[in-house]
Amino acid sequence: MNGKEDVWTAVEEFRRQYLTGELGHLPVDVFTLVELSLRLDVIPFDDLFAKYDSDAAITQDFTGIYVDAEAYVLWEKGPVWKQNRLRFSVAHELGHYVLHRDLASGLAFNSFDEFAQWIRRQDGQKYALEQAANEFAGRLLVPPEQLKIHFEQFSQEFDALFPRWRRDEGIRRLFADTISPKFGVNAQVVEVRLSAAE
Amino acid sequence: MNFGQLIKELRIAKQLTLRRCCAELGVDPSNWSKMERGVTPPPRDTRLLERWAAFLGVTREKKQDFLDLASLARQEIPPDMASDQKVVAALPAFFRAVRGQELEGERLKQFIEDLRAVHSPDKSAAL
């Protein structure tokens, strides 16, 4: 279910459909996308992160996304890493929206107990769903063509100085730190995308 | 169309996200979101409603309809906490904790009560 290539195809279809014009710029403006293009309700949830370690969660009817109220309201005023984390979390929920709507309608919870059972589940299916949503988010926010362009520019500078830099974790990290602001993600996301591209 | 749906339509027509709209109007996004979702009734203050209508681009001809829908919403929206049925329907489809701490036991119960608050009228709504 949702192998990497299926996810990549879904991302590119989604990008063609929605990320055009102003929305085609990076970093991806996830809230304009969610609220104005998809017309989903953004539902501020007080202390969602502080109490439950989560920035965002899509409703089971797929009409809204809960977001940590503080992170959402202070979006442009808070620390960049927090903004990046929320951007990734919303993109992750968008991944569920695009990839898992049909599946989730069959999993719909009819009681709190059913929800609790789902939360407790630690099986391959649940893991695969989360991985697919992560892959969707990473690919959406860090388009591979853009990553390649930045990587090649960086390579030209470093190849002459350090021919083996590609195996050097420190320099790879430097690359991720340098270009992650262009995508509005934290450096770890760029490192994962780099590995996925290799 | 009810009042909540109307203000959501008008906001989207103006290409405003919830946060941007609320920042411009000086209202709390949680309360505005509840109003759009028909959870919290609109305020009684006609001048405030007129200011919102003007900001959202409601024409003079449609202003009375806007105020009438607000009045109707105040009569229709119950002041009670959300029922279990409503909260179950609003559960998240998935839940991903950043640090991998799953919801269990008391934490899960608290989460459900916090979720109920998100879907219940805010009695201290300071719009």
Side-chain angles (χ1 to χ4, degrees):
Chain A
M1 175 196 318
N2 294 142
K4 265 190 184 174
E5 290 189 2
D6 294 339
V7 175
W8 292 355
T9 302
V11 171
E12 297 318 322
E13 278 177 17
F14 185 82
R15 200 191 305 283
R16 273 194 296 276
Q17 191 173 355
Y18 293 105
L19 299 188
T20 57
E22 285 288 308
L23 269 178
H25 298 150
L26 294 172
V28 175
D29 183 349
V30 289
F31 285 112
T32 295
L33 179 59
V34 162
E35 297 186 51
L36 305 183
S37 300
L38 300 177
R39 303 171 64 88
L40 301 181
D41 290 321
V42 159
I43 309 173
F45 189 126
D46 286 337
D47 298 324
L48 183 60
F49 191 82
K51 287 165 95 170
Y52 306 110
D53 296 326
S54 181
D55 267 325
I58 196 156
T59 58
Q60 66 166 335
D61 64 2
F62 288 86
T63 62
I65 297 182
Y66 298 111
V67 293
D68 180 79
E70 185 195 12
Y72 177 69
V73 172
L74 299 179
W75 173 251
E76 283 147 347
K77 295 174 186 156
V80 171
W81 62 267
K82 223 178 210 183
Q83 190 183 104
N84 290 346
R85 192 183 64 198
L86 181 57
R87 179 181 288 107
F88 189 88
S89 296
V90 171
H92 173 100
E93 298 307 313
L94 265 178
H96 285 311
Y97 176 85
V98 172
L99 303 169
H100 305 139
R101 254 180 304 173
D102 293 342
L103 173 80
S105 63
L107 291 172
F109 313 120
N110 295 305
S111 68
F112 296 131
D113 282 345
E114 286 182 15
F115 177 65
Q117 282 166 23
W118 168 256
I119 289 292
R120 278 195 292 270
R121 259 175 72 171
Q122 296 291 344
D123 59 15
Q125 185 196 18
K126 191 175 169 191
Y127 179 77
L129 294 173
E130 294 302 326
Q131 287 299 104
N134 274 342
E135 187 66 25
F136 184 97
R139 180 101 174 179
L140 184 75
L141 300 179
V142 185
E145 302 78 17
Q146 295 290 319
L147 181 66
K148 192 177 171 195
I149 290 167
H150 288 296
F151 188 72
E152 284 175 359
Q153 283 171 352
F154 188 87
S155 299
Q156 282 171 8
E157 290 174 28
F158 272 79
D159 279 347
L161 295 170
F162 307 107
R164 294 186 182 174
W165 76 269
R166 285 159 210 264
R167 290 184 200 160
D168 186 314
E169 288 298 317
I171 297 180
R172 286 171 70 93
R173 185 65 196 245
L174 174 67
F175 168 72
D177 282 340
T178 306
I179 68 149
S180 56
K182 295 181 193 305
F183 300 107
V185 296
N186 291 329
Q188 298 93 311
V189 175
V190 170
E191 290 185 80
V192 171
R193 299 324 302 164
L194 207 51
S195 300
E198 284 172 344
Chain B
M1 183 181 286
N2 62 35
F3 183 76
Q5 290 163 337
L6 175 64
I7 58 173
K8 181 179 174 181
E9 286 298 325
L10 292 169
R11 175 175 64 75
I12 291 176
K14 277 188 73 98
Q15 292 289 291
L16 291 170
T17 61
L18 176 72
R19 183 183 59 252
R20 183 83 190 278
C21 177
C22 292
E24 298 268 350
L25 287 172
V27 300
D28 176 66
S30 297
N31 287 338
W32 187 274
S33 162
K34 285 184 175 184
M35 229 172 15
E36 285 191 359
R37 290 180 287 116
V39 172
T40 283
R44 292 180 185 282
D45 185 339
T46 305
R47 289 176 76 178
L48 182 61
L49 288 168
E50 284 177 343
R51 191 165 75 81
W52 291 357
F55 174 77
L56 292 170
V58 176
T59 59
R60 274 179 130 179
E61 297 75 39
K62 295 278 182 189
K63 194 171 78 179
Q64 194 54 50
D65 293 345
F66 183 89
L67 296 174
D68 289 346
L69 274 180
S71 173
L72 191 62
R74 282 196 298 275
Q75 293 162 33
E76 287 179 344
I77 297 172
D80 310 324
M81 293 292 279
S83 64
D84 278 358
Q85 190 184 5
K86 194 170 176 185
V87 181
V88 165
L91 284 166
F94 305 93
F95 195 85
R96 180 183 71 117
V98 171
R99 286 188 286 264
Q101 287 186 33
E102 299 296 356
L103 289 174
E104 312 183 289
E106 286 303 313
R107 225 160 145 252
L108 177 59
K109 281 185 192 164
Q110 185 59 54
F111 177 78
I112 289 166
E113 286 318 302
D114 287 346
L115 191 59
R116 192 185 307 280
V118 169
H119 292 280
S120 299
D122 192 344
K123 292 196 172 64
S124 62
L127 286 166

